[in-house]
Amino acid sequence: NFGSGSRTPISITLLIKHKEKQDKAKIHYHDIGDYLSQKEKLNIISKFKSIDGMDWKKIIPNEHGDWINQRNESFEEFIPVDASKKYDLKSNSFFLTYSLGLATGRDAWVLNFSKNSLEENLKTSISFYNSQVNDYTIRVKNGEEIEVDDFINTDETKLSWNRNLKQDLGKLKKLEYNKENVIQSLYRPFTKTNLYFDKGMNAMQYQNRKLFPNQNLYNRIICISGKSAQKPFSVLASDRIADLQVVDKGQCFPLYYYEEKEQVQGSLFDASSESKYIRRDGVSDFIYERAKKQYGKSITKEDIFYYVYGILHSPNYRETFVNDLKKMLPRIPLVDKPIDFKSFSNAGKRLADIHINYESIPACKDVIVHLPKEQLRMDAYEFYKVTKLRFPKRNQRDTIIYNSRIKISNIPLEAYQYQVNSKSAIEWIMDRYQVKVDKKTRIKNDPNDWSLENEKPSYILDLLLSVINVSVQTVDIVEKLPRLDFTES
């Protein structure tokens, strides 16, 4: 299996069928490593010359049907994070509900650093869609039998079609732009952008409207790599709607979820609120009662929420159950000692705070920003404007060229150890905060617009400096987590 994707795990399998009818086929396997490029895979294979020179291992599937990357049996003994049935108050899981991240189906149209450009793009695409509805209506009223796919104009500079929008057209349903649906979301790690959160223009909203009914209601979520994710296991906290690919096929587990008052019967235990929403706990009573019994009555559901975030950062946990986390949502162990529970919970709280409030984290003291004197004579927005951040050389990562005027040096190399979705947090900033034009729609997305519209000329520079420190602090916190030993289990 040579694979074509640059992140595809690779294996070489030799099937030997014996002549004797009574013998079963035997499978021999040689693993050359995960997450290699196609060129790297082919180079390794070519050096073997022949299958005779390879180290073959006979493999036998386990009860789950895993031939390779077999799961750890002790993983099943832990408590699942996900409820078998969402919103089941009796669920024996850490959380009562969860949701996939938002899948827009048309990122270029409904996401943009510029609020003004987003509004202009949406009004254009919605107007075009409604004109298609008008034309299709006329054809239908004239008695024509015409399939939607045969009718629509598929020019992606006018609109990006998907199944949902085609179904709406078939129902002769029109759309209307609503500026109240423009909110801020987390599009990629440490990358906020403007989002048009609208059922008509989003492919799949999943449960996100229950997690974040509006921007005024407080919540925090833990985004976890989903089942069969192609990238290494990742986790990231957010306080706003997260895209499906913030982490690969991300599943979001909430501290709270919200229900509309007119849809439910209130009780004495509901969180007080003057809004039309009732806040519910995302952490189950089952795990709450168990944690109180094991660690003391002072334990809160927030403590448990952050304990999960702390455990999911544990190197011991992630290394021991690497194969399980590729195929299943996490199952979380409860540590024996109250002091260890508190250590993981406190660490998880600190990690969540810096990962969510990353923009307010000050720069590392030793990082040097080289600013020329011309700063005093230039327009501030022009001075801090970026086109594409880059390293001076491919392997020189202690320095980043911000633009032709600004350079950042003395970046601690350990900062690059903190990775989300197979890329360091620093490189996520370098990748996302550059001027891009979508090839299909020709829509421009310029991060400098975010600086301008939020009246923060140095936003991108400040962001980069903050994320460098976030990375350093994350590595330090993770290194100090209590060591978990799973040998006995």
Side-chain angles (χ1 to χ4, degrees):
N1 175 14
F2 288 83
S4 58
S6 62
R7 295 290 181 184
T8 306
I10 187 70
S11 64
I12 303 174
T13 306
L14 181 65
L15 180 64
I16 302 175
K17 183 68 181 288
H18 288 262
K19 293 181 180 179
E20 294 83 358
K21 291 184 179 180
Q22 66 271 23
D23 287 351
K24 294 182 179 180
K26 296 180 181 179
I27 294 182
H28 296 262
Y29 170 80
H30 179 83
D31 185 0
I32 64 170
D34 292 347
Y35 310 111
L36 301 173
S37 67
Q38 185 181 49
K39 183 178 179 181
E40 289 170 328
K41 297 170 189 176
L42 294 174
N43 285 340
I44 293 172
I45 293 169
S46 65
K47 292 177 182 178
F48 288 118
K49 305 295 183 183
S50 165
I51 61 172
D52 295 329
M54 300 177 70
D55 180 22
W56 294 101
K57 177 183 177 182
K58 183 180 177 181
I59 56 174
I60 300 173
N62 62 15
E63 61 183 33
H64 302 289
D66 300 331
W67 288 85
I68 60 174
N69 300 326
Q70 294 188 350
R71 280 168 260 201
N72 190 317
E73 292 182 3
S74 63
F75 195 70
E76 291 286 342
E77 302 300 320
F78 303 147
I79 301 167
V81 292
D82 55 311
S84 57
K85 182 180 178 182
K86 292 177 181 178
Y87 307 109
D88 178 2
L89 299 182
K90 297 181 180 179
S91 178
N92 292 347
S93 56
F94 271 87
F95 294 92
L96 295 175
T97 190
Y98 59 104
S99 173
L100 279 164
L102 176 69
T104 73
R106 52 182 61 82
D107 285 3
W109 290 102
V110 301
L111 291 152
N112 205 289
F113 282 115
S114 169
K115 207 172 188 178
N116 295 328
S117 296
L118 180 66
E119 180 177 356
E120 183 179 336
N121 294 335
L122 283 163
K123 287 182 176 179
T124 298
S125 61
I126 291 174
S127 175
F128 173 74
Y129 167 79
N130 287 336
S131 71
Q132 291 271 277
V133 174
N134 290 336
D135 294 343
Y136 189 71
T137 302
I138 293 172
R139 301 280 288 271
V140 171
K141 287 183 176 179
N142 288 337
E144 294 186 46
E145 293 184 4
I146 183 170
E147 295 292 331
V148 170
D149 283 326
D150 297 329
F151 168 79
I152 58 174
N153 182 339
T154 57
D155 182 352
E156 293 212 45
T157 63
K158 299 181 182 295
L159 178 67
S160 297
W161 292 92
N162 64 359
R163 181 182 61 184
N164 303 55
L165 214 50
K166 290 176 184 178
Q167 289 175 345
D168 286 344
L169 176 63
K171 297 174 184 176
L172 308 181
K173 179 181 178 181
K174 288 190 174 184
L175 300 178
E176 183 178 349
Y177 174 75
N178 183 354
K179 67 178 182 179
E180 298 300 321
N181 291 340
V182 178
I183 62 174
Q184 289 186 7
S185 69
L186 188 70
Y187 179 59
R188 291 294 182 267
F190 308 103
T191 306
K192 291 176 184 175
T193 190
N194 296 298
L195 162 70
Y196 189 62
F197 188 52
D198 176 82
K199 187 176 181 180
M201 290 296 285
N202 301 153
M204 297 298 292
Q205 292 189 340
Y206 301 109
Q207 302 294 310
N208 284 290
R209 197 165 286 281
K210 285 195 172 185
L211 307 190
F212 297 98
N214 63 54
Q215 293 192 98
N216 298 319
L217 295 174
Y218 173 80
N219 205 359
R220 285 187 168 189
I221 57 176
I222 298 174
C223 304
I224 300 170
S225 298
K227 297 176 183 178
S228 302
Q230 297 300 306
K231 296 178 181 177
F233 178 80
S234 292
V235 56
L236 187 64
S238 176
D239 63 348
R240 62 200 63 220
I241 291 174
D243 187 86
L244 182 63
Q245 296 303 328
V246 165
V247 295
D248 196 5
K249 301 178 182 177
Q251 296 278 8
C252 306
F253 293 83
L255 179 59
Y256 305 112
Y257 65 93
Y258 291 87
E259 294 179 329
E260 291 191 52
K261 286 183 178 178
E262 56 266 30
Q263 294 180 344
V264 296
Q265 182 69 40
S267 73
L268 295 174
F269 302 101
D270 293 327
S272 61
S273 173
E274 297 299 320
S275 74
K276 65 176 182 177
Y277 297 99
I278 295 176
R279 192 178 78 185
R280 306 291 193 188
D281 289 325
V283 176
S284 73
D285 287 340
F286 160 79
I287 197 65
Y288 177 51
E289 294 302 326
R290 184 159 174 177
K292 283 198 299 180
K293 183 177 180 179
Q294 190 162 339
Y295 306 124
K297 294 182 179 180
S298 63
I299 296 299
T300 67
K301 289 189 175 181
E302 276 202 24
D303 293 333
I304 297 169
F305 178 85
Y306 294 119
Y307 170 80
V308 170
Y309 200 55
I311 287 287
L312 293 177
H313 279 87
S314 165
N316 308 120
Y317 174 81
R318 287 163 73 152
E319 290 167 8
T320 303
F321 303 108
V322 60
N323 294 330
D324 303 85
L325 295 171
K326 287 179 180 178
K327 301 169 183 179
M328 304 169 62
L329 287 173
R331 300 177 75 93
I332 305 293
L334 288 177
V335 292
D336 295 331
K337 301 177 182 178
I339 190 172
D340 288 335
F341 173 88
K342 205 65 180 175
S343 294
F344 276 108
S345 182
N346 289 341
K349 176 69 163 57
R350 294 200 305 274
L351 287 167
D353 285 344
I354 63 174
H355 293 166
I356 289 173
N357 302 313
Y358 60 91
E359 293 163 303
S360 63
I361 304 300
C364 291
K365 293 181 181 179
D366 296 331
V367 172
I368 301 171
V369 181
H370 304 265
L371 297 171
K373 294 180 181 179
E374 64 184 274
Q375 176 185 6
L376 301 175
R377 302 191 297 271
M378 288 186 67
D379 173 75
Y381 292 101
E382 185 65 27
F383 182 81
Y384 290 106
K385 189 175 183 179
V386 300
T387 302
K388 184 176 182 178
L389 285 70
R390 61 183 178 85
F391 297 118
K393 298 178 182 178
R394 184 176 181 182
N395 296 320
Q396 186 184 347
R397 301 199 297 173
D398 65 339
T399 300
I400 293 175
I401 306 299
Y402 179 85
N403 61 22
S404 61
R405 296 170 292 277
I406 303 170
K407 181 174 71 173
I408 304 167
S409 65
N410 209 35
I411 299 170
L413 294 181
E414 61 265 29
Y416 292 95
Q417 295 175 25
Y418 174 49
Q419 299 199 352
V420 184
N421 230 15
S422 77
K423 188 183 296 183
S424 72
I426 295 171
E427 289 168 294
W428 273 116
I429 302 302
M430 298 176 70
D431 176 70
R432 301 315 310 176
Y433 285 84
Q434 59 175 291
V435 180
K436 294 185 177 182
V437 178
D438 184 70
K439 292 181 180 179
K440 293 181 179 180
T441 63
R442 300 176 193 168
I443 291 175
K444 183 179 181 181
N445 198 7
D446 188 344
N448 299 291
D449 291 335
W450 182 275
S451 304
L452 182 63
E453 293 178 8
N454 287 278
E455 299 182 347
K456 296 178 180 179
S458 62
Y459 174 83
I460 300 173
L461 176 61
D462 296 337
L463 172 65
L464 178 57
L465 295 173
S466 294
V467 169
I468 292 171
N469 197 2
V470 166
S471 300
V472 172
Q473 289 189 41
T474 298
V475 171
D476 182 60
I477 294 171
V478 169
E479 286 180 347
K480 293 177 180 176
L481 287 172
R483 179 172 177 80
L484 296 172
D485 185 0
F486 299 103
T487 54
E488 292 186 5
S489 64

